[in-house]
Amino acid sequence: MLGSIKACVRYYWCSGLLKMKAVILAGGLGTRLSEETHLKPKPMVEIGGKPILWHILKVYSHFGIHEFVICCGYKGYLIKEYFANYFLHTSDVTFHMDRDNHMEVHHRKSEPWKVTLVDTGELSQTGGRLGAVRSYLNDESFCFTYGDGLADVDIQALIAHHHAHGRQATLTAVQPPGRYGALHLEQDKVLQFQEKPDGDNAWINGGFFVLEPAVLDRISGEYTSWEADILPKLAADSQLSAYRHGGFWQPMDTLRDRTRLEELWVKGEAPWKLW
């Protein structure tokens, strides 16, 4: 099986079939990160001076995926503003206010991206948001993930794994570490303190999906939950594969998570910085 997956990797990479679209969920309220999200949508919370959404797009772009469909909702206009003024945010500029009031962009920092921003409603559920962008997707496989999580997933190998197994959906399975320091005890004596202990070895849904268009037929409306309604049914129908990722994975659910990601970036130790 490993040999066939490697063969698929080579085939899809060389044939250019990896250049598919990626759909990013970016419309939730992000209430557990309210310190930041009362002003902006969670995908616009910054890591290293750039929105986490930018980091996610950079990961996909590293593997040749440059076309994105962003599912906007809560304060989605701020995401639209960011991309509308991308050069203003990322480049040096001169404003000619003494003459014809135009802006001159210096050392333009562009990306090979095509970004479609879709208002999928403030109260829509995750599955409903995906269903709302159906008209922007071609009748072919596409990537799909959350706008608040980073990983060093090999997207190239993930896509090849999906096609090798021939199911409607593939998720990236991860094993998150424990959230609290662990004590190794002998009666009342502490033998060892482990700051970042291993988790309970359970595999969980880490996002970074690859989907077939048939999955969209399972979405009944805007209040359909991807996690509660669609994934269990795909599993029950034997249409859900798992790509096991043993590398870095970190969601940004809380301020503590955001601080950890920021520290990794500042130290130059960000595992997701593949570019």
Side-chain angles (χ1 to χ4, degrees):
M1 177 61 74
L2 181 59
S4 64
I5 292 177
K6 287 182 177 178
C8 283
V9 169
R10 289 193 298 269
Y11 171 73
Y12 284 103
W13 181 259
C14 294
S15 65
L17 293 179
L18 280 176
K19 294 184 179 180
M20 58 177 68
K21 294 182 180 181
V23 178
I24 316 293
L25 289 173
L29 297 177
T31 53
R32 286 186 290 175
L33 194 61
S34 59
E35 299 91 343
E36 295 267 4
T37 56
H38 72 289
L39 294 174
K40 63 184 72 171
K42 187 160 47 163
M44 292 303 294
V45 174
E46 294 184 351
I47 304 296
K50 297 288 181 62
I52 190 172
L53 179 61
W54 178 89
H55 292 264
I56 295 169
L57 268 57
K58 289 287 284 187
V59 171
Y60 277 104
S61 188
H62 173 75
F63 290 100
I65 295 178
H66 306 306
E67 189 165 351
F68 303 96
V69 179
I70 312 297
C71 302
C72 300
Y74 171 71
K75 295 186 182 295
Y77 64 90
L78 291 175
I79 302 177
K80 294 179 180 178
E81 188 276 334
Y82 176 77
F83 285 103
N85 296 294
Y86 188 78
F87 293 131
L88 183 61
H89 289 290
T90 60
S91 305
D92 296 332
V93 297
T94 297
F95 293 98
H96 293 272
M97 304 176 69
D98 56 337
R99 293 181 295 177
D100 52 0
N101 194 28
H102 76 275
M103 182 180 72
E104 180 182 0
V105 179
H106 307 283
H107 310 296
R108 183 169 298 194
K109 299 176 182 178
S110 62
E111 302 286 353
W113 299 342
K114 178 181 178 182
V115 182
T116 300
L117 303 163
V118 183
D119 183 359
T120 60
E122 285 203 9
L123 301 179
S124 299
Q125 297 298 307
T126 47
R129 295 191 189 283
L130 175 59
V133 303
R134 181 170 193 162
S135 62
Y136 297 95
L137 302 174
N138 301 325
D139 190 24
E140 58 189 23
S141 308
F142 61 95
C143 294
F144 175 53
T145 198
Y146 305 106
D148 61 355
L150 293 170
D152 57 355
V153 175
D154 186 335
I155 303 297
Q156 177 185 347
L158 167 63
I159 293 171
H161 177 97
H162 171 76
H163 287 290
H165 288 80
R167 297 188 176 97
Q168 290 184 11
T170 298
L171 60 75
T172 296
V174 298
Q175 291 179 300
R179 295 187 63 87
Y180 303 99
L183 300 178
H184 296 263
L185 303 174
E186 183 179 275
Q187 295 182 349
D188 62 349
K189 181 171 66 175
V190 178
L191 298 179
Q192 181 183 2
F193 177 81
Q194 188 175 357
E195 183 180 359
K196 295 178 181 177
D198 297 332
D200 58 7
N201 295 319
W203 291 92
I204 68 167
N205 167 25
F208 293 93
F209 304 91
V210 183
L211 307 178
E212 295 301 313
V215 169
L216 300 172
D217 295 332
R218 297 172 177 266
I219 300 172
S220 60
E222 62 181 314
Y223 299 115
T224 300
S225 168
W226 174 251
E227 298 78 14
D229 300 323
I230 305 301
L231 289 180
K233 292 178 181 177
L234 284 167
D237 294 343
S238 298
Q239 289 296 325
L240 183 61
S241 292
Y243 173 78
R244 297 182 187 228
H245 173 61
F248 176 84
W249 175 83
Q250 177 66 59
M252 190 180 65
D253 291 329
T254 65
L255 187 60
R256 175 181 176 178
D257 295 333
R258 189 256 174 200
T259 299
R260 184 190 178 210
L261 291 170
E262 180 71 21
E263 288 175 349
L264 288 171
W265 184 267
V266 170
K267 292 178 181 177
E269 300 173 357
W272 70 89
K273 190 178 185 299
L274 304 172
W275 58 93

